[in-house]
Amino acid sequence: QVQLVESGGGLVQAGDSLRLSCAASGRTASRYDMGWFRQAPGNEREYVAAITYNGKSTSYANSVSGRFTISRDTAKNTLYLQMSSLKPEDTAVYYCAAGTRPLSSSVDHYDYWGQGTQVTVSS
């Protein structure tokens, strides 16, 4: 079992930066590939970024590439999402997830999910 807890969300203005964190616990947490997803009201949950269990490879959705950076601190079992140049369309609940399919963009390939953290970007 892996437990995931997100933090760092909030209300910011367009153009601002924000860093999300996801604390993972459980004996095997460090062995999982990780991802960030987001869900806006009325929309399906969508892929944002992913990182391999060892942090050596990453991937991003086109909509955030160049603005967001995913990283992880394996010693602290913590996943991060650094978001820059935020836009109103980035407003959503952001979820971290753990799975065993490296760099997958599919929600179906993730076994564990956090409760989410709200990010609101005002124009």
Side-chain angles (χ1 to χ4, degrees), residues 39-55:
Q39 187 167 18
N43 291 356
E44 293 186 351
R45 194 166 298 189
E46 67 172 6
Y47 168 74
V48 174
I51 189 167
T52 52
Y53 76 98
N54 57 9

Side-chain angles (χ1 to χ4, degrees), residues 1-25:
Q1 277 283 51
V2 176
Q3 293 79 41
L4 304 172
V5 179
E6 301 97 335
S7 61
L11 172 63
V12 297
Q13 294 187 331
D16 284 352
S17 298
L18 199 62
R19 189 177 81 160
L20 305 182
S21 299
C22 172
S25 60

Side-chain angles (χ1 to χ4, degrees), residues 19 21-26 29-30 72-80:
R19 189 177 81 160
S21 299
C22 172
S25 60
S30 63
R72 68 191 297 171
D73 184 331
T74 54
K76 295 182 178 179
N77 268 348
T78 302
L79 177 73
Y80 301 101

